[in-house]
């Protein structure tokens, strides 16, 4: 599958309703041989490809809360940026 073929896939978006204008969101598509392709909306030419088994394990981990600590970090960073309009200090 070539990059041109990727454009013809049925990309599903994970963008919450309250996402600020211009913010990046994740897009996911199923490719040939049941491959899972992922990209960010602000960089659609960069595509990450994984297997269905790895994707299923990732989704299972998300549902089990294995990544909740990372989500808290992102939410805190996002809140800092929206309040100051500048990148958060690390």
């Amino acid at each position: 599958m070539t990059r041109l073929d990727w454009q013809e896939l049925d990309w599903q978006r994970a963008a919450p309703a309250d996402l600020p204008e211009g913010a990046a969101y994740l897009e996911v598509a199923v490719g040939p041989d049941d491959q899972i392709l992922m990209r960010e909306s602000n960089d659609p030419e960069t595509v990450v490809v994984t297997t269905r088994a790895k994707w299923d394990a990732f989704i299972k981990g998300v549902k089990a809360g294995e990544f909740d600590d990372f989500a808290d970090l992102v939410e805190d960073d996002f809140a800092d940026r929206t309040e100051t309009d500048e990148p958060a200090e690390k």
Side-chain angles (χ1 to χ4, degrees), residues 13-87:
R13 296 179 179 177
D18 60 347
L19 192 68
E21 183 72 28
Y25 50 85
L26 181 67
E27 294 180 319
V28 179
V30 178
D33 298 326
D34 215 24
Q35 294 176 323
I36 304 298
L37 294 88
M38 296 170 281
R39 67 184 186 185
E40 282 188 282
S41 60
N42 63 345
D43 186 14
E45 295 301 315
T46 302
V47 176
V48 176
V49 181
T50 192
T51 65
R52 171 65 72 166
K54 289 179 181 178
W55 178 253
D56 289 344
F58 171 70
I59 296 300
K60 186 177 179 180
V62 168
K63 289 179 178 180
E66 291 180 22
F67 307 106
D68 288 355
D69 290 340
F70 294 109
D72 290 341
L73 293 174
V74 171
E75 288 175 6
D76 291 344
D77 185 45
F78 180 72
D80 291 343
R81 288 179 188 218
T82 56
E83 290 172 13
T84 65
D85 291 327
E86 295 178 13

